[in-house]
Amino acid sequence: MDSMTAAQRRIHEAALKLFAERGIGEVNVSALAEAAGVARGTIYNNLDSIESLFEKVAKELSEEMIVRVALSLPDDVEPAQRLATGIRFYIRRAHDEPSWGRFLVRYGFSSEALRSMWSGQPLADLEDGMQRGAYQIEPEQITSVLALIAGGVLTAMILVQEGRKTWRDAGSDVAEMLLRAVGIAASEAQRLARDELPGLVEAP
């Protein structure tokens, strides 16, 4: 977002909120202008279509979060720790930024841009853990494990949004269960899922 003008940034922030609350088909130029606090002409000057705006917002959300998680952890962190911490980062951010979380819950499976979040660093962590002998899964099971991760994270976000769990409990529970599912010992999974969570570094 750093390369955007102030108006474009406001439009994208407003679009994220509106898409999360209403759905793509219910967002129009008038609603965007009102939510962003800009004139309709500004929207037209910065918009090809509502659909293209959605794709830009989804791509930006995905890429930004991937970068922030990577910057927040040391390069030499163990794959299980990286996986557990990454899961908790997502769930905490969904609590801290409700519109961000609702957008992800609503489109996390249907948007191609967002699906890349589940097959990027999590895939690398799984492959790294398998090579090190830390994970007890077969190569052909990786796709199913990625689906478990995505489903677990999004469901935990819903529990937090509905007030049924705190982000701390939801994040730690899901991280622990997913680590145990890939073969991490119960006591180690519990420890990794409850270690102090560092701050999420801002994207450059």
Side-chain angles (χ1 to χ4, degrees):
M1 288 182 71
D2 288 345
S3 62
M4 296 183 189
T5 65
Q8 289 171 334
R9 189 175 298 109
R10 291 169 71 177
I11 291 169
H12 274 233
E13 290 171 352
L16 173 66
K17 185 173 186 293
L18 291 175
F19 287 137
E21 293 175 351
R22 302 184 183 184
I24 301 171
E26 300 301 318
V27 176
N28 54 40
V29 170
S30 295
L32 271 174
E34 181 178 354
V38 299
R40 286 168 55 92
T42 302
I43 300 293
Y44 283 117
N45 289 337
N46 290 278
L47 181 70
D48 295 325
S49 68
I50 296 295
E51 291 73 20
S52 66
L53 177 60
F54 172 83
E55 292 301 328
K56 288 178 182 177
V57 169
K59 185 173 185 290
E60 170 192 295
L61 183 155
S62 175
E63 292 178 348
E64 183 243 16
M65 189 58 176
I66 289 170
V67 169
R68 290 184 67 181
V69 171
L71 291 174
S72 300
L73 292 168
D75 293 336
D76 60 351
V77 68
E78 293 291 324
Q81 181 70 78
R82 183 181 297 277
L83 181 59
T85 305
I87 287 167
R88 296 165 69 205
F89 275 148
Y90 275 78
I91 296 167
R92 182 175 69 184
R93 189 173 180 188
H95 167 267
D96 293 344
E97 301 175 37
S99 291
W100 183 92
R102 284 193 291 269
F103 186 95
L104 199 53
V105 165
R106 187 161 196 159
Y107 304 108
F109 283 126
S110 60
S111 165
E112 182 176 351
L114 294 182
R115 286 199 302 271
S116 68
M117 299 172 79
W118 316 119
S119 59
Q121 190 60 53
L123 174 59
D125 290 337
L126 289 177
E127 292 175 337
D128 187 19
M130 289 172 64
Q131 290 174 0
R132 299 189 191 198
Y135 296 158
Q136 306 304 311
I137 56 176
E138 300 299 327
E140 61 269 19
Q141 295 177 312
I142 286 182
T143 302
S144 296
V145 175
L146 289 172
L148 281 175
I149 293 171
V153 169
L154 294 176
T155 301
M157 288 180 179
I158 293 171
L159 293 176
V160 173
Q161 290 167 0
E162 293 178 347
R164 297 167 63 186
K165 274 189 173 290
T166 66
W167 69 261
R168 289 181 179 85
D169 288 343
S172 293
D173 287 348
V174 169
E176 179 184 347
M177 288 184 285
L178 288 171
L179 289 179
R180 292 175 67 174
V182 297
I184 301 298
S187 59
E188 179 68 359
Q190 185 178 61
R191 182 187 69 79
L192 292 172
R194 284 163 175 76
D195 276 352
E196 183 178 354
L197 189 61
L200 186 60
V201 174
E202 292 291 337

